[in-house]
Amino acid sequence: MCVCSSFSPATPMRDSCRSSNVNIPRDFVARYFSTTNIIEGDDAVIEESDATLSAERDKLKRSLIALGASFDRGFGASPSSRKEADRIVDDLEKVNPTVDAAQGISGDGSPAPLEGIWRMVWTDAQDVLSLAASPLSTVGAIYQVIEPPIATNIIDLIPRAQALLPPGFAPPTLVRAEVTTRASLRSNMPMRVGLTFESVKLKPVEIFGFSTMNTLPPLSFDLPRIPIPGGDSESSPGYFDVAYLDDEMLVIRQNAPGGYFALIKVPSYNP
């Protein structure tokens, strides 16, 4: 699967510092402009800065997608590629054009910038990377489907033996895991999304080339909601922070067990 093909540099991005209230880091601006040439209120400088930010975002996103394509989304990452991905994510966070990413996430009817289908192109989260260690299966596509107030994590699992064979050599089998969460706002935290885990579902999508979407029932169960004594209502039971968001890419940092995810917007999560 080539993740690069899903990224279109022609897609419009929210680049206006004035319309999106982006705070441009001084050290970032200094790379391109002499401080003697930056005059407050100078529209020409602002427009040139907007263009520079847009070009820099595009460059950073392309670099991260290329890393994902070369190192299997982080599953086959080398130490140097992990450091490079960390640097890119840090730089993306500095030029994030969205200042209220959690808006509308509770399903109150207001526009929700996070809404959409997002496919993972890179992660350093050990809870996800460890899925590739199974001797029975390997990891296919991973999605985050956000339909406020519901956010669903989707992981496609493929038999390891099938992954080792040439394409078309054996009839395909695919099992899909879905974790459903309910998203909510966190007070005074416009970039944080609270998560309450609701259910887990395992469903066979295809077995030996035969579609089972409508024939075999999924294995599913609801997750109990157990209050944690002394728990902080602002950080329990789960959450993620948005590090970067535009019309093409989403980068989030999860709480325990930690790690970040870079995802690109796609039109569908059909297997």
Side-chain angles (χ1 to χ4, degrees):
M1 176 182 67
C2 179
V3 297
C4 296
S5 62
S6 299
F7 174 70
S8 170
T11 304
M13 295 186 295
R14 293 185 280 268
D15 291 319
S16 172
C17 299
R18 286 169 293 184
S19 63
S20 58
N21 298 321
V22 175
N23 294 319
I24 309 173
R26 181 178 293 274
D27 60 344
F28 179 84
V29 177
R31 301 180 198 173
Y32 303 96
F33 305 105
S34 165
T35 53
T36 58
N37 293 329
I38 301 177
I39 302 173
E40 185 175 358
D42 188 335
D43 287 343
V45 171
I46 292 175
E47 290 176 4
E48 189 173 359
S49 177
D50 286 348
T52 301
L53 280 171
S54 177
E56 180 69 7
R57 291 176 187 133
D58 183 70
K59 177 183 176 182
L60 291 169
K61 290 188 291 185
R62 284 181 174 274
S63 297
L64 189 55
I65 290 171
L67 275 178
S70 299
F71 295 95
D72 190 15
R73 302 163 294 170
F75 289 103
S78 63
S80 61
S81 65
R82 288 193 182 96
K83 289 181 181 178
E84 177 66 8
D86 292 347
R87 182 195 66 78
I88 293 172
V89 168
D90 288 343
D91 284 349
L92 277 171
E93 192 165 11
K94 293 175 184 177
V95 293
N96 181 18
T98 304
V99 297
D100 191 8
Q103 176 186 345
I105 197 64
S106 297
D108 57 7
S110 60
L114 284 167
E115 184 172 5
I117 302 169
W118 305 90
R119 188 173 69 200
M120 192 190 82
V121 296
W122 185 272
T123 188
D124 70 343
Q126 289 302 313
D127 57 326
V128 172
L129 295 178
S130 63
L131 295 175
S134 170
L136 301 178
S137 65
T138 189
V139 184
I142 296 177
Y143 300 92
Q144 178 95 298
V145 181
I146 300 178
E147 300 172 319
I150 301 301
T152 305
N153 297 318
I154 297 176
I155 302 175
D156 288 341
L157 302 172
I158 302 168
R160 184 164 295 278
Q162 175 182 310
L164 297 175
L165 296 173
F169 185 83
T173 295
L174 186 146
V175 175
R176 172 163 281 183
E178 298 182 3
V179 180
T180 301
T181 65
R182 183 169 295 272
S184 60
L185 293 169
R186 292 290 168 90
S187 60
N188 301 316
M189 294 182 177
M191 305 300 284
R192 177 166 292 184
V193 174
L195 298 173
T196 301
F197 292 85
E198 294 193 336
S199 65
V200 175
K201 181 187 297 182
L202 283 173
K203 59 181 180 182
V205 175
E206 193 174 21
I207 297 180
F208 298 126
F210 294 96
S211 175
T212 55
M213 290 284 289
N214 300 317
T215 56
L216 293 179
L219 173 64
S220 61
F221 57 91
D222 295 333
L223 298 174
R225 301 182 185 181
I226 302 175
I228 302 174
D232 179 5
S233 62
E234 291 298 321
S235 61
S236 177
Y239 66 85
F240 64 76
D241 291 321
V242 177
Y244 183 89
L245 173 64
D246 65 12
D247 295 331
E248 299 171 324
M249 178 169 279
L250 166 65
V251 180
I252 60 176
R253 301 183 187 273
Q254 67 176 1
N255 67 327
Y260 62 83
F261 298 83
L263 310 100
I264 57 173
K265 182 168 280 190
V266 294
S268 171
Y269 57 91
N270 290 333

